[in-house]
Amino acid sequence: MSFETFGLCPEILRAVKARNYQTPTPIQEKAIPHVMEGKDLLGCAQTGTGKTAAFALPILQRLYGSPAGGRKRRAVRALVLTPTRELANQIGDSFGAYGRHTGLRHVVVYGGVSQKPQAQALHQGIDILVATPGRLLDLVSQGIVNLGGVETFVLDEADRMLDMGFIHDIRRIIDKLPVARQTLFFSATMPAEIQRLSGTILRNPVRVAATPAATPAEAVEHSVYFVEKQTKGELLRHLLADDSIKNALVFTRTKHGADRVARQLVRANLRAEAIHGDKSQNVRERALADFKRGRTRVLVATDIAARGLDIVDLSHVINYDLPVESESYVHRIGRTGRAGASGIALSFCGIEERPSLAAIEQLIRKHLTVVEDHPFRSELRPPRKTDLDPHRTQRAPRPYMIRAEELMREGRGNPGRPPQPGEAFPRNARNA
Ligand code: AMP
């Protein structure tokens, strides 16, 4: 299958060619024809599957194919809601790249930065708005954005939105959209709450699902290092002494942990930076840009900050802490081994993280290769199930007393004193 078969206009096809996309990814193949027809869509897909183009290309095509008319100030015709600033920028870049020959305008808005340039850009008139929920609501309440003309609404990373507590904002935004519209709903996971939400905002959706191009079992080598919590930092520095780690995205469980790990690496003269939700927008963007350009070798991040980051040529993902939710492991390693390239995922596992490791192995249906050969190997072994449940190792204890009848049967009774029925003796009694 080729992009030509979708019926995209030559201007868009030219831009796709410039990106060097040879064939559509599975989600693009499944979704684009339906989205072009104006249908609602429920997409179970995460970043790395090519989902951005799966919605951006048909949206551009529809807008380009039906110009807004002679209105001077173009109102928003397509709205994409996404949870983080990084994702918003990535999606904005995609619209910019695929739509560069169409003359369609897009603007990206998110909080944490001055609203003024965003308001100015909006004032000039736009076709496509990519936004995070909070800033969008601010702009709507000030009358800077009007959502009354939205024809296509995309809710991206819906599960993450819920995790981040955006559900009320999302509902308020949906209330401001025209009822007659096309809705495209994407989520990496489909827990009950997400299914309920999708049920209330989609009409007769086409369902498509796609696993990332690089699924854990296929393109990524997974290994695990058993290490004690206190020596994880030393193990990381030891591993980074190897130049074959061209660049690494290191995941920690907490923001504080991310800062600490990055600080220790910098002290050891390694080029490292941390990104997480407490860092300002500018700092995060600069850190990401430096990492993508190869100026920093190690980016230390929390799950939320790194979700969806599109980093081409990432050689290693290192799980400094294992994620509590095993699905996050899949999201994390989805950053490496993209587009058929092979990737490497290294995980550090402390004794208290063994249950998380077991859950991950169950989820990806694969055992991580245990690396024994390293100087920080933990000798601690988790308690085996049998240690916790004595009945699994020991046979049921024999009763201490032996009944008289049994004693007689064993020929150990005292013939001079026949026991009375029901009488009992200590088991080791020789001649009771
Ligand atoms: P996404 O899942 O939308 O974040 O896309 C992940 C990466 O795949 C991005 O770097 C895209 O540029 C790239 N990509 C999207 N579609 C294709 C395609 N058909 N062929 C090759 N790469 C693609």
Side-chain angles (χ1 to χ4, degrees), residues 84-357:
T84 66
R85 304 148 185 190
E86 285 83 2
L87 281 170
N89 275 328
Q90 266 172 217
I91 295 169
D93 290 347
S94 294
F95 273 107
Y98 308 141
R100 59 201 274 219
H101 307 300
T102 61
L104 292 164
R105 289 172 46 84
H106 75 275
V107 168
V108 180
V109 301
Y110 42 75
V113 293
S114 160
Q115 158 184 314
K116 212 165 155 200
Q118 298 177 355
Q120 277 165 353
L122 289 164
H123 190 73
Q124 288 166 20
I126 57 161
D127 301 288
I128 301 148
L129 179 60
V130 183
T132 56
R135 175 56 57 96
L136 177 62
L137 277 174
D138 283 351
L139 294 167
V140 170
S141 67
Q142 295 167 58
I144 296 171
V145 172
N146 179 355
L147 299 178
V150 170
E151 296 162 27
T152 303
F153 168 54
V154 182
L155 186 64
D156 184 39
E157 305 251 343
D159 51 352
R160 207 63 183 176
M161 295 263 203
L162 257 60
D163 273 0
M164 292 172 75
F166 286 140
I167 184 72
H168 298 297
D169 286 353
I170 292 169
R171 289 203 185 279
R172 283 171 58 205
I173 290 165
I174 291 169
D175 281 348
K176 298 185 193 309
L177 298 174
V179 180
R181 56 158 204 270
Q182 177 184 32
T183 303
L184 315 175
F185 187 109
F186 290 92
S187 190
T189 56
M190 288 285 165
E193 205 180 351
I194 289 289
Q195 286 179 30
R196 266 198 305 279
L197 177 69
S198 70
T200 60
I201 64 173
L202 292 169
R203 267 178 307 179
N204 253 341
V206 174
R207 288 160 200 269
V208 298
T211 44
T215 52
E218 290 152 17
V220 178
E221 280 174 39
H222 313 255
S223 37
V224 59
Y225 293 74
F226 293 121
V227 56
E228 280 160 47
K229 208 164 148 187
Q230 314 79 277
T231 43
K232 282 183 174 181
E234 285 172 83
L235 173 59
L236 180 61
R237 294 193 290 281
H238 167 75
L239 294 175
L240 289 170
D242 181 347
D243 289 338
S244 69
I245 303 191
K246 194 178 132 249
N247 55 8
L249 182 57
V250 175
F251 284 92
T252 59
R253 203 168 42 76
T254 63
K255 299 172 194 172
H256 181 69
D259 280 334
R260 186 166 31 81
V261 170
R263 242 187 349 257
Q264 287 169 351
L265 293 176
V266 169
R267 237 181 271 139
N269 286 326
L270 290 155
R271 288 169 289 125
E273 273 193 81
I275 57 166
H276 52 68
D278 286 352
K279 299 257 178 188
S280 77
Q281 170 63 15
N282 291 342
V283 170
R284 278 160 65 168
E285 272 179 14
R286 209 201 48 233
L288 184 59
D290 285 350
F291 186 61
K292 283 185 176 177
R293 258 186 251 133
R295 279 208 207 135
T296 35
R297 182 170 164 226
V298 186
L299 189 65
V300 190
T302 55
D303 282 300
I304 289 195
R307 173 84 175 254
L309 289 185
D310 185 20
I311 302 157
V312 181
D313 283 341
L314 176 64
S315 79
H316 287 69
V317 163
I318 301 181
N319 295 305
Y320 188 94
D321 298 314
L322 283 182
V324 181
E325 284 174 41
S326 34
E327 279 87 9
S328 299
Y329 181 84
V330 182
H331 292 307
R332 289 178 179 189
I333 64 159
R335 318 283 115 240
T336 183
R338 288 223 169 163
S342 61
I344 299 178
L346 311 178
S347 297
F348 296 176
C349 179
I351 184 102
E352 64 294 331
E353 293 173 295
R354 291 294 186 103
S356 304
L357 176 64

Side-chain angles (χ1 to χ4, degrees), residues 3 19 21 23-25 28 46-52 310 338:
F3 281 95
R19 292 292 290 247
Y21 296 173
T23 50
T25 65
Q28 290 163 1
Q46 66 182 68
T47 304
T49 55
K51 76 173 153 83
T52 315
D310 185 20
R338 288 223 169 163

Side-chain angles (χ1 to χ4, degrees), residues 381-396:
R381 287 286 168 261
R384 286 174 305 169
K385 265 197 183 137
T386 46
D387 297 337
L388 305 173
D389 180 359
H391 296 293
R392 297 178 70 114
T393 44
Q394 297 159 15
R395 289 213 207 110

